Amino acid sequence: MLLSPKYKFLFVHIAKTGGTSVRAALQRQRRRDPWALPIFLCNRLSHLSGHRLAVKLPRHAKVIAAKELLPREVFDSLFKFAFVRNPWDLQVSSFHHIRRERSHYLGGHEDFASFLRWKLDPERPYQYHLDTSIELQSDYLIDLHGAVVVDFIGRYERLAEDFETACGRIGIAPLPLPHRRQATDRRRDYRAYYDDETAELVARHFAGDIALLGYRFDPD
């Protein structure tokens, strides 16, 4: 999550949706914000205390965290936006990210299908780096009553165009997005990773996202 009181925006960073590029592009605006230093100091203090002080909005916090922590008039004044991604594609991206950078979280499951079954098994013990990508993306966008409270939902599939729209809503000139890191060992089309069983497994687990965001396994 990225907050700028000066530019009045709140970016809700959902994992594996291009958010790292968005954050990097917005860093200059963040550094120009008079509140940047106080926010940085609070973040450092939170870190040094073992995050016992509840003064930091975590990188992948849901929008409800900001709604509950910020004064209502401040929250309402912010342009709140996020990016989402096709759930089937997101799971392929997550698999390659974990295999490349945190292979010890694979749990001995080296191929995508077996890893996905294990990952989405409700009996599996909680592991943070896995569970951030099995949470519903829609949960990052809603309040306690289930109402969507972000003002703009961009799509990973058209990241550059939608980020340009977000910049316009913030009131800044369009910013270039840094190159998105791609896994070099993945096939481009996520559908090649699935059979009928695993595709349906994702469809059931992420039914809420599919209903709200309109994604399908075979896009138009």
Side-chain angles (χ1 to χ4, degrees):
M1 187 171 283
L2 192 64
L3 170 65
S4 173
K6 176 181 178 180
Y7 293 95
K8 294 187 179 300
F9 72 78
L10 178 73
F11 170 54
V12 180
H13 185 174
I14 302 172
K16 309 307 297 175
T17 62
T20 299
S21 294
V22 171
R23 290 176 68 96
L26 290 171
Q27 282 304 319
R28 178 174 297 180
Q29 271 61 40
R30 188 185 190 190
R31 288 193 295 268
R32 290 173 176 171
D33 196 318
W35 287 95
L37 181 58
I39 290 172
F40 171 78
L41 293 176
C42 286
N43 288 346
R44 291 301 302 162
L45 185 59
S46 177
H47 176 75
L48 292 173
S49 71
H51 301 294
R52 293 183 178 90
L53 302 181
V55 294
K56 177 182 179 181
L57 290 170
R59 182 182 184 91
H60 295 301
K62 299 176 175 66
V63 71
I64 188 59
K67 185 174 183 181
E68 293 296 304
L69 288 171
L70 293 171
R72 180 174 180 177
E73 64 275 12
V74 173
F75 181 81
D76 289 346
S77 72
L78 298 171
F79 168 61
K80 299 167 285 290
F81 70 106
F83 283 86
V84 296
R85 186 173 186 171
N86 183 302
W88 290 276
D89 186 35
L90 187 148
Q91 293 308 309
V92 173
S93 177
S94 176
F95 168 69
H96 281 284
H97 174 78
I98 291 170
R99 188 169 70 173
R100 183 178 63 248
E101 299 191 11
R102 298 184 176 95
S103 59
H104 54 289
Y105 285 112
L106 290 174
H109 302 274
E110 296 295 330
D111 68 276
F112 175 73
S114 63
F115 175 70
L116 184 67
R117 294 187 190 96
W118 174 73
K119 177 181 181 178
L120 299 183
D121 182 353
E123 302 300 320
R124 178 185 55 78
Y126 177 86
Q127 294 184 64
Y128 172 78
H129 292 292
L130 300 181
D131 290 81
T132 53
S133 59
I134 70 169
E135 294 182 331
L136 292 179
Q137 297 175 75
S138 49
D139 284 349
Y140 285 78
L141 312 174
I142 60 176
D143 65 11
L144 293 175
H145 304 288
V148 174
V149 292
V150 297
D151 303 301
F152 178 70
I153 301 173
R155 305 277 173 159
Y156 175 86
E157 294 77 20
R158 51 175 189 257
L159 181 61
E161 296 88 341
D162 284 355
F163 181 60
E164 183 173 337
T165 298
C167 288
R169 296 283 297 274
I170 293 169
I172 59 176
L175 299 169
L177 282 168
H179 178 70
R180 290 173 287 161
R181 181 173 57 186
Q182 298 283 355
T184 57
D185 54 347
R186 69 162 286 180
R187 296 186 287 276
R188 293 186 63 129
D189 192 332
Y190 63 85
R191 291 170 294 185
Y193 288 80
Y194 290 92
D195 55 26
D196 290 344
E197 177 197 354
T198 52
E200 179 59 26
L201 183 63
V202 171
R204 289 197 305 268
H205 188 90
F206 297 100
D209 284 351
I210 293 165
L212 178 67
L213 304 173
Y215 279 113
R216 301 191 307 168
F217 182 71
D218 289 303
D220 294 332

